[in-house]
Amino acid sequence: MDHRFDVTERFAEGAQFIAGSLRSGSSGRSQDVVDPATGETVYSYELAGTEDVDAAVAAAERAFAEWGTATPGERSDTLHRFAAALAEDAADLAFAESLNCGKPIKLSNEFDVPGSVDNAAFFAGAARHLEGKAAGEYSADHTSVIRREPIGVVGSIAPWNYPLQMAAWKVLPAIAAGNTIVLKPAEITPLTSLLFAQAAQRAGLPDGVLNIVSGAGRDAGEHLVGHRSVAMTSFTGSTAVGKRVAEIATGTVKRLHLELGGKAPFVVFDDADLEAAVHGAVAGALINTGQDCTAATRAYVQRPLYDAFVSGVADLMATVRLGDPFDPSTDLGPLISHAQRDRVAGFVDRARGYATVVTGGEVPAFGERRLAKGAYYRPTLIAGAAQDSEIVQAEIFGPVLVVLPFDSDDEGIALANDTPYGLAASAWSRDVYRTGRATREINAGCVWVNDHIPIISEMPHGGAKASGFGKDMSAYSFEEYTQVKHVMYDNTAVARKDWHRTIFGDRP
């Protein structure tokens, strides 16, 4: 049975979390949080304005003096308590995530929430492992030491598709390394970020270390990125918005981490396990209603398996159950909004002019009036599109998979690389040499072999090409949030060094 609470009562003070307290925004504009499964408003709040961003950054600056000098062990202990607090709040977090996003409760319960708890536990351990080159005499007369120090105040912007996990991915490595942070969640999905911050406070994270500003991108977001007291910006979202973030960030020469769009290829060679590939394609394409930057979106299938793959995927997609996100049997929830559903439908409708919609491609009819107002769209499979067509090249961000045939291995890998994106990919074959080649030659930040989508806290997530740069999760992510400093000690106690003659005088 799902666990619910009154959102309006829970966040009555407002949707800004600054210096340890909830407060209302100062922009003078309100924002509705809408349940995409029903179209009903579940919470309304005042958006953050630039003054709120300034207050959050100031709180983070004050907190940095203490948190940035805490020992790794002290930060680790706090993060262990944080992981425990998140586990205690699991039911509330799952409810809020499904209410906010429309994702099936089984996905929230079995993927989003436990993954975020595990991230917290991982970074609790990582906080005690600040690695660097061993101290030593790399110059005969000096001892060198590498220090890893926190950067300062981090300003992060998270997307609406995985609000809880994106909060974890942004916040945890930053604070584990000793930084303080101001997080701007998507203004349409702030609920789990606020719960996340409250759990951190309950775990003993000092006020001001983690701040949440729930505001619009053009106002709160751009002001946060351009703020002179923000030393680093981390952004996850579309490539188009990522370019804008990069432009603003260069104005203050701050460190930048971008995790942008994707168009993941799913390459099936002719010796692949067909049943596994079919099941993997449907799961990989439909996770989170396809609103996942690593979702399988382009299936390239070697010609001997092509027809059977198309038939198998179409048949399996037809069994996917759409419905109430809080029904444990629901497989697929709505898209995040009616606007996003209409955007996805537009891609499919335009594709009808040059390709075949094998299954799906429509808004479902619900007998229940409540769900009939939701932003639902059926799982969709498209065949017969050209490689250079919009449906193959553009990021759709919905439950849509396009499938194309290929003949040679060379062609399959070339097609996989033939988009601007390079976030994730998968290769399906029983031949270790084929998959080995695919992992080497497909240009993506992650290449799965005979699977698609699984992520783990110990391994990095991030892309190449137009998918951005920098890593989330793992020790590689931890390194993103530290400043490497070289400290060099003279060991000679000699006043006049031999190298001084190159500046003045002669050799002593």
Side-chain angles (χ1 to χ4, degrees):
M1 186 172 183
D2 59 88
H3 180 84
R4 304 185 183 222
F5 58 85
D6 187 322
V7 174
T8 299
E9 181 180 316
R10 186 70 169 264
F11 302 117
E13 296 93 342
Q16 318 304 325
F17 186 85
I18 300 172
S21 299
L22 287 173
R23 64 173 73 173
S24 184
S26 65
S27 70
R29 293 181 291 113
S30 64
Q31 173 69 46
D32 291 338
V33 176
V34 176
D35 177 356
T38 65
E40 298 171 357
T41 296
V42 297
Y43 179 59
S44 295
Y45 70 94
E46 294 297 313
L47 286 163
T50 57
E51 291 180 3
D52 302 302
V53 173
D54 290 340
V57 172
E61 282 190 290
R62 292 192 298 272
F64 181 67
E66 174 188 349
W67 187 248
T69 57
T71 66
E74 290 169 337
R75 294 198 291 265
S76 176
D77 288 347
T78 302
L79 285 168
H80 277 299
R81 294 194 300 271
F82 189 10
L86 290 171
E88 291 171 2
D89 290 351
D92 282 356
L93 290 165
F95 165 70
E97 192 77 348
S98 287
L99 184 68
N100 230 183
C101 304
K103 63 182 65 184
I105 192 67
K106 65 179 181 179
L107 183 64
S108 295
N109 275 328
E110 299 177 31
F111 183 72
D112 298 75
V113 174
S116 299
V117 173
D118 188 67
N119 283 172
F122 172 81
F123 281 108
R128 303 186 80 142
H129 294 280
L130 289 165
E131 295 183 353
K133 185 173 285 190
E137 289 66 52
Y138 299 94
S139 154
D141 294 336
H142 305 83
T143 295
S144 287
V145 176
I146 294 295
R147 291 178 56 88
R148 281 196 175 272
E149 299 178 343
I151 298 168
V153 178
V154 177
S156 291
I157 300 176
W160 47 256
N161 58 334
Y162 288 103
L164 176 60
Q165 291 211 63
M166 293 299 99
W169 289 12
K170 300 298 183 193
V171 170
L172 293 168
I175 64 175
N179 303 284
T180 56
I181 187 166
V182 178
L183 173 71
K184 193 201 86 64
E187 62 270 29
I188 60 174
T189 56
L191 302 183
T192 40
S193 295
L194 296 170
L195 292 175
F196 187 81
Q198 289 178 322
Q201 183 183 46
R202 198 168 76 249
L205 189 71
D207 292 347
V209 174
L210 168 56
N211 306 274
I212 308 291
V213 289
S214 304
R218 289 191 178 277
D219 301 321
E222 292 198 359
H223 189 63
L224 179 62
V225 173
H227 204 293
R228 293 192 175 277
S229 295
V230 171
M232 175 181 173
T233 289
S234 177
F235 170 81
T236 296
S238 71
T239 298
V241 178
K243 291 178 181 178
R244 174 62 179 157
V245 168
E247 290 172 0
I248 298 170
T250 57
T252 51
V253 198
K254 52 173 55 75
R255 186 178 293 193
L256 189 59
H257 172 196
L258 298 175
E259 198 268 273
L260 307 177
K263 190 71 177 176
F266 187 100
V267 183
V268 182
F269 295 100
D270 57 13
D271 66 337
D273 181 325
L274 179 62
E275 181 182 15
V278 166
H279 282 78
V282 174
L286 300 185
I287 185 171
N288 204 35
T289 318
Q291 298 166 129
D292 186 310
C293 50
T294 62
T297 59
R298 298 178 289 139
Y300 296 103
V301 184
Q302 206 150 23
R303 208 169 293 274
L305 294 185
Y306 178 80
D307 290 339
F309 180 88
V310 171
S311 176
V313 168
D315 289 346
L316 189 54
M317 279 187 170
T319 71
V320 172
R321 298 163 296 185
L322 282 71
D324 182 352
F326 291 101
D327 183 340
S329 68
T330 292
D331 298 321
L332 196 74
L335 289 138
I336 189 66
S337 66
H338 287 83
Q340 179 65 10
R341 184 192 67 185
D342 293 345
R343 178 180 179 274
V344 171
F347 278 106
V348 175
D349 290 343
R350 290 189 296 274
R352 296 180 198 277
Y354 55 80
T356 300
V357 177
V358 180
T359 190
E362 61 184 6
V363 175
F366 284 103
E368 186 181 348
R369 181 181 300 176
R370 187 174 66 95
L371 296 181
K373 297 178 181 179
Y376 289 90
Y377 197 76
R378 288 200 183 281
T380 301
L381 178 65
I382 294 175
Q387 174 66 15
D388 62 356
S389 62
E390 178 190 52
I391 203 76
V392 174
Q393 293 292 322
E395 186 175 32
I396 300 169
F397 229 56
V400 179
L401 175 65
V402 58
V403 58
L404 296 86
F406 68 92
D407 292 305
S408 69
D409 289 16
D410 288 348
E411 182 188 12
I413 292 173
L415 290 170
N417 284 328
D418 185 27
T419 73
Y421 301 105
L423 186 58
S426 63
W428 298 74
S429 170
R430 291 183 173 94
D431 187 329
V432 66
Y433 297 103
R434 264 180 157 173
T435 57
R437 178 189 176 190
T439 62
R440 292 190 301 273
E441 296 185 13
I442 294 177
N443 191 358
C446 173
V447 181
W448 291 287
V449 176
N450 294 323
D451 208 344
H452 194 106
I453 285 297
I455 55 174
I456 50 176
S457 297
E458 290 84 357
M459 289 292 114
H461 172 87
K465 302 195 295 184
S467 293
F469 47 83
K471 300 299 180 185
D472 289 314
M473 299 193 297
S474 80
Y476 297 100
S477 170
F478 190 50
E479 292 177 0
E480 300 265 340
Y481 293 90
T482 60
Q483 180 71 42
V484 174
K485 178 187 286 185
H486 172 215
V487 179
M488 198 174 201
Y489 298 90
D490 172 61
N491 293 331
T492 66
V494 173
R496 188 176 177 185
K497 306 289 195 296
D498 183 58
W499 70 269
H500 291 176
R501 67 185 176 81
T502 62
I503 312 303
F504 62 90
D506 298 318
R507 185 186 296 275

